């Protein structure tokens, strides 16, 4: 299965996002959210996640065992990009 996720379309806090994606990782055929841009059964046993967050992109491929680990531990720990805690808050202006 392959899913394309755009985290920038949802204003939820990272903790909620990790729980939400964790539910999908445990039940990929019965859970879809607003941040999912594409969901495709490509016939592959592994789950491929194309993730866009904070202007960055990464691809993660997970076996069934890895999906369970990531679902319980939190997916942000396992990606190689910086994940913003919030996406809908303007950055603070730097003092001059």
């Amino acid at each position: 299965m392959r899913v394309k996720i755009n985290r920038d379309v949802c204003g939820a806090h990272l903790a909620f996002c990790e729980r939400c994606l964790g539910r999908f990782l445990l039940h990929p055929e019965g859970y879809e959210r607003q941040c999912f841009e594409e969901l495709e059964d490509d016939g592959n046993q592994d789950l491929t996640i194309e993730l866009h967050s904070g202007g960055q992109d990464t691809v993660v491929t997970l076996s069934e065992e890895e999906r369970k680990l990531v679902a319980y531990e939190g997916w942000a720990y396992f990606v190689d990009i910086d994940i913003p805690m919030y996406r809908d808050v303007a950055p603070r202006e730097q003092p001059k």
Side-chain angles (χ1 to χ4, degrees):
M1 181 176 288
R2 183 185 70 81
V3 63
K4 185 174 182 179
I5 298 173
N6 182 352
R7 212 175 148 246
D8 294 346
V9 300
C10 178
H13 184 277
L14 178 59
F16 178 84
C17 183
E18 285 195 317
R19 187 178 76 208
C20 183
L21 185 57
R23 294 293 300 161
F24 170 74
L25 293 172
L26 295 175
H27 308 287
E29 295 179 5
Y31 195 81
E32 186 175 346
R33 303 305 299 165
Q34 72 177 11
C35 62
F36 288 19
E37 293 184 333
E38 295 177 27
L39 183 61
E40 170 189 20
D41 185 358
D42 59 3
N44 194 336
Q45 290 284 64
D46 292 341
L47 173 65
T48 301
I49 300 172
E50 298 173 15
L51 177 68
H52 177 81
S53 181
Q56 302 172 86
D57 296 294
T58 191
V59 176
V60 179
T61 302
L62 303 170
S63 67
E64 185 174 344
E65 184 178 306
E66 291 168 328
R67 283 196 311 253
K68 291 177 184 176
L69 174 67
V70 171
Y72 293 120
E73 295 293 327
W75 61 267
Y77 178 77
F78 295 93
V79 297
D80 60 355
I81 60 175
D82 292 328
I83 304 296
M85 187 71 66
Y86 300 96
R87 285 161 316 290
D88 58 352
V89 177
R92 293 183 188 176
E93 190 173 312
Q94 295 296 321
K96 296 183 184 200

